[in-house]
Amino acid sequence: MEGITYLFLNAMTVASILMVVGLGLAIIYGLMELINFAHGEFVTIGAYTLVAADLLGGSFWMALLCAPIVGALFGILMERVLIRYLYDRPLAVILATWGVSLIIRQGIQLTFGAKGFGVSDPLVGTMSIVGVEYPVYRLFLIVTALSIMATCYLIIRYTRFGLDVRTVIQDREMAACMGINTRRINLMAFSAGSALAAIGGVLIAPLGNVLPHLGLGYLAKSFFVVIVGGVGNIAGVAAGSCLIGGLETFFNYHIPVSLSQALVLILAIVIVRYRPQGIIPK
Amino acid sequence: MKWNPIIFRFKLPPTLKQLVDERIWLVAFIGLAGLLLAYPLWADGYSLNLVRDMLIFGIVALSLDWLWGKGGMLSFGHAAFFGIGAYSMAITSINLDWGFSSLLGLFASVAIPGIIALLIGYFLIFAGVRGAYFVIVTLAIGIVSQQAAISWVSVTGGDSGLLGIPPLGFTLGDHRFQLDNSLSLYYVVLTVALLSLLFLWQLSRGLYGNLLKGIENNEKRAQSLGHNTSLHLLIVMISSAMLAGLAGGLYASCTGFVAPDLLSLMLSTEIFVWVAVGGRGTLLGPFIGAFIIMRLQQVVSSISTGLWPLVIGAIFIIIVFVFPDGILPFIRKFVVRFKLLFEKSGVKHGR
């Protein structure tokens, strides 16, 4: 029984990181139909914000506040300088963002060095929950991720901005005819997506080593979260990240890590084959 | 050719653009082939090996161009097929002690990537996965295959790779024939490169090329004309993977070792850049692109090794914004313009 509880909590940890990162991707992909291959690098940027804060003597909480701002600024810069010229060339967006991702990754490596940084745990200790002792930080991570999801859902569902976003997703031209500034929505969505990825990066950092190619692993995984879950809705992201995170954690218990990632990938491909619209369609 | 005589009957005369295309292509092909055939006359051993490796990477780029330029499916993990081919060669020929084991290894380096492409392609292509989705999935395949090569230490040797791959050859009776000097290896690689290039060019000039062009322009329309488009795309994907695997096998037996770098995402990225710089869909362009970019890489790396990923990233952005078509189409545009000018002025003088 205890084993199952641990398995469930570990799966929730992985799933909640995927949720935050995948949500950022889903906003950009669902709203603008852009494939952002630099999304993983925003995760790295978030993680290195924490590293920089650590080196400069700041705390985890400061980094958690700063990271979304840093991520959003990078996102705005990228949208203004590159992506807004490429809205009608989807393949070109992939290439340009991949170029940016190479530059950011190498830039971070040249600035901070290729060796990893360990970040100290901001919340030390364990807490007993449903009969098992579990690290407090991981519980904090799960709660934070869930509250971010809930906040995003509330914003999309109940605010004026959310209404505009939903209108643009449904029909871009008609939304523009109704007086919605779609270019502004694009910019805001892109920066929000980048900010979410950066928050994901800060949340991941204390769990392991921070390396320049940290975000790369999350790029493919978060795409699968979005595709498997179903493009264009928040429930799909939640379902997709629970499935991918759950499967990965479950396989990790029994087989080597790389093999389990390969298995998750194969399962994702099979799911896409038989359910191309995702688990939870729009 | 019983199966589609109509296209033969109604074959349109080629347009000026097509004529110029074919003429540039042939001139460039004959020039390059002649230059490369004669190259050993004045080259030393080191640069011969260098050009041989460039040719092998050119074959990989050719295979990606066949998939992307002709089939319309961009793979971002094409190094996976190349690396799997190289590892198949290495594992077979090191572990089997038999007269024909290196030939068997070469066979495995073609067959195993082909089978993997068949499995992946069946699930993807028949599910209607095209365009951007295809790019994402192939990217993931590239990441996973590199991780597998690093962590499956008992078979792949992990980070340090596998050493001591025997050269290509076979034993007949008491005698052993093998390719172990750089001159014969060079000519074997060059022959494979030229033959595969000519074969794919002929294929794409003819009916099959028309069909693929039709699928790329409008897949639904090709379907409604009765073509099983998914099957054709699957065939293109498998043949592309097999060609990349063959190049991997040749690379492993030429250099004698394999390492996880051969499957890396960076190599996949570079393969893409070779094709894009040379000119997508030109088949010859990828070779030219590979030569130019690898030369550039040497120059940049001699300044500082950390600089190269930055340069590649910048090349991506330049490709997107400055010349999206690549070098060969760029040249063609000039030749067509020049020809039109010439013909107009000729008409004026004639009358």
Side-chain angles (χ1 to χ4, degrees):
Chain A
M1 186 59 215
E2 264 189 11
I4 296 173
T5 318
Y6 271 121
L7 182 68
F8 175 74
L9 285 172
N10 284 345
M12 274 308 287
T13 315
V14 178
S16 42
I17 292 169
L18 283 179
M19 235 182 255
V20 177
V21 179
L23 184 62
L25 197 72
I27 290 175
I28 295 173
Y29 185 66
L31 185 66
M32 297 144 79
E33 289 176 8
L34 293 184
I35 307 269
N36 178 13
F37 264 26
H39 196 69
E41 268 45 57
F42 288 110
V43 177
T44 321
I45 287 174
Y48 272 91
T49 312
L50 178 54
V51 169
D54 231 27
L55 292 177
L56 297 175
S59 71
F60 172 83
W61 312 106
M62 227 166 76
L64 194 58
L65 281 180
C66 288
I69 300 167
V70 175
L73 284 179
F74 268 96
I76 289 171
L77 188 72
M78 207 165 115
E79 207 270 350
R80 287 284 91 183
V81 176
L82 288 177
I83 295 187
R84 66 172 167 151
Y85 302 107
L86 302 172
Y87 277 122
D88 44 353
R89 289 166 62 197
L91 188 66
V93 174
I94 295 181
L95 304 183
T97 50
W98 185 244
V100 171
S101 128
L102 286 169
I103 291 174
I104 294 178
R105 208 181 307 149
Q106 188 65 18
I108 287 175
Q109 186 161 338
L110 290 179
T111 321
F112 288 90
K115 67 171 173 56
F117 283 91
V119 182
S120 55
D121 232 340
L123 289 168
V124 195
T126 59
M127 207 171 114
S128 86
I129 176 169
V130 284
V132 295
E133 289 288 315
Y134 204 68
V136 183
Y137 178 70
R138 284 174 172 251
L139 292 174
F140 163 76
L141 199 160
I142 295 170
V143 173
T144 315
L146 289 178
S147 49
I148 288 172
M149 290 293 278
T151 316
C152 281
Y153 176 76
L154 292 177
I155 290 174
I156 298 277
R157 184 74 184 79
Y158 290 109
T159 64
R160 177 67 209 215
F161 172 69
L163 185 64
D164 288 357
V165 167
R166 277 182 290 144
T167 320
V168 174
I169 290 180
Q170 225 169 51
D171 192 329
R172 175 170 294 272
E173 263 98 56
M174 192 49 83
C177 292
M178 304 307 274
I180 295 170
N181 186 349
T182 54
R183 294 202 151 247
R184 197 176 125 260
I185 299 274
N186 279 346
L187 180 61
M188 289 177 79
F190 202 87
S191 56
S194 315
L196 280 171
I199 295 177
V202 177
L203 292 176
I204 296 161
L207 293 181
N209 228 353
V210 179
L211 288 162
H213 56 260
L214 169 81
L216 199 58
Y218 284 92
L219 176 66
K221 249 183 269 172
S222 50
F223 268 115
F224 279 116
V225 163
V226 175
I227 295 172
V228 166
V231 176
N233 62 42
I234 291 182
V237 175
S241 50
C242 287
L243 185 74
I244 302 265
L247 281 176
E248 200 185 309
T249 316
F250 178 72
F251 287 140
N252 275 349
Y253 269 64
H254 303 285
I255 49 179
V257 176
S258 58
L259 198 59
S260 75
Q261 284 184 340
L263 260 181
V264 170
L265 166 74
I266 291 165
L267 277 174
I269 292 176
V270 173
I271 291 172
V272 172
R273 167 74 178 88
Y274 292 107
R275 229 184 134 70
Q277 73 276 39
I279 308 171
I280 299 176
K282 205 177 331 189
Chain B
M1 288 284 167
K2 204 183 156 199
W3 40 284
N4 209 341
I6 300 171
I7 296 183
F8 273 129
R9 237 178 281 154
F10 290 102
K11 192 158 187 190
L12 292 166
T15 61
L16 177 63
K17 199 174 133 190
Q18 279 166 346
L19 269 182
V20 171
D21 250 5
E22 299 225 319
R23 210 163 291 168
I24 292 178
W25 203 94
L26 269 178
V27 167
F29 177 76
I30 292 169
L32 264 178
L35 194 69
L36 287 170
L37 280 170
Y39 186 65
L41 290 179
W42 65 85
D44 57 304
Y46 172 74
S47 41
L48 202 61
N49 286 352
L50 206 67
V51 174
R52 179 200 69 203
D53 288 351
M54 283 180 172
L55 273 171
I56 293 177
F57 286 122
I59 299 174
V60 189
L62 172 68
S63 75
L64 179 64
D65 193 29
W66 173 238
L67 182 67
W68 180 35
K70 300 296 180 186
M73 295 170 287
L74 173 56
S75 163
F76 239 66
H78 216 59
F81 296 121
F82 174 73
I84 289 170
Y87 270 96
S88 309
M89 175 81 192
I91 292 164
T92 318
S93 59
I94 289 175
N95 293 333
L96 286 183
D97 189 23
W98 180 49
F100 289 89
S101 63
S102 65
L103 289 184
L104 190 70
L106 200 61
F107 175 74
S109 74
V110 178
I112 293 174
I115 292 168
I116 292 174
L118 171 69
L119 292 176
I120 297 169
Y122 170 72
F123 276 104
L124 292 182
I125 293 171
F126 280 86
V129 173
R130 302 281 189 276
Y133 278 124
F134 193 82
V135 181
I136 296 166
V137 177
T138 47
L139 175 87
I141 290 167
I143 294 174
V144 166
S145 60
Q146 190 189 5
Q147 278 172 344
I150 290 174
S151 55
W152 200 4
V153 181
S154 58
V155 176
T156 62
D159 264 322
S160 47
L162 293 170
L163 285 166
I165 300 162
L168 266 182
F170 56 91
T171 316
L172 210 59
D174 295 333
H175 203 72
R176 173 139 184 97
F177 303 92
Q178 72 179 20
L179 298 168
D180 44 10
N181 58 337
S182 48
L183 191 68
S184 51
L185 278 175
Y186 175 81
Y187 275 116
V188 166
V189 170
L190 183 59
T191 314
V192 172
L194 293 181
L195 284 182
S196 52
L197 182 55
L198 270 182
F199 177 71
L200 290 182
W201 187 56
Q202 276 301 324
L203 204 60
S204 49
R205 279 177 80 203
L207 282 179
Y208 206 67
N210 282 349
L211 176 56
L212 291 181
K213 223 177 279 172
I215 292 175
E216 205 195 342
N217 281 345
N218 193 333
E219 193 177 338
K220 287 243 161 60
R221 197 175 289 165
Q223 266 167 4
S224 65
L225 288 173
H227 295 293
N228 189 347
T229 54
S230 297
L231 183 67
H232 290 297
L233 293 180
L234 183 62
I235 290 171
V236 171
M237 182 171 171
I238 293 172
S239 50
S240 164
M242 283 162 75
L243 187 58
L246 175 64
L250 286 174
Y251 185 80
S253 80
C254 284
T255 54
F257 71 96
V258 291
D261 284 3
L262 297 183
L263 300 135
S264 69
L265 213 51
M266 195 61 197
L267 184 60
S268 296
T269 307
E270 282 167 5
I271 296 171
F272 165 79
V273 169
W274 300 334
V275 178
V277 166
R280 174 199 164 200
T282 57
L283 300 179
L284 188 60
F287 281 94
I288 300 171
F291 276 80
I292 294 174
I293 297 294
M294 274 191 263
R295 189 79 199 97
L296 182 69
Q297 183 174 8
Q298 286 168 354
V299 174
V300 172
S301 300
S302 68
I303 302 168
S304 159
T305 46
L307 216 57
W308 179 237
L310 295 179
V311 174
I312 274 262
I315 291 176
F316 263 85
I317 294 167
I318 293 170
I319 288 172
V320 167
F321 281 102
V322 185
F323 61 146
D325 291 332
I327 288 173
L328 271 191
F330 194 68
I331 296 175
R332 182 194 65 202
K333 209 156 64 183
F334 270 91
V335 175
V336 168
R337 208 167 281 170
F338 182 74
K339 272 217 125 123
L340 283 177
L341 206 74
F342 189 74
E343 275 175 9
K344 260 182 208 159
S345 63
V347 168
K348 228 183 260 168
H349 286 293
R351 286 180 187 173

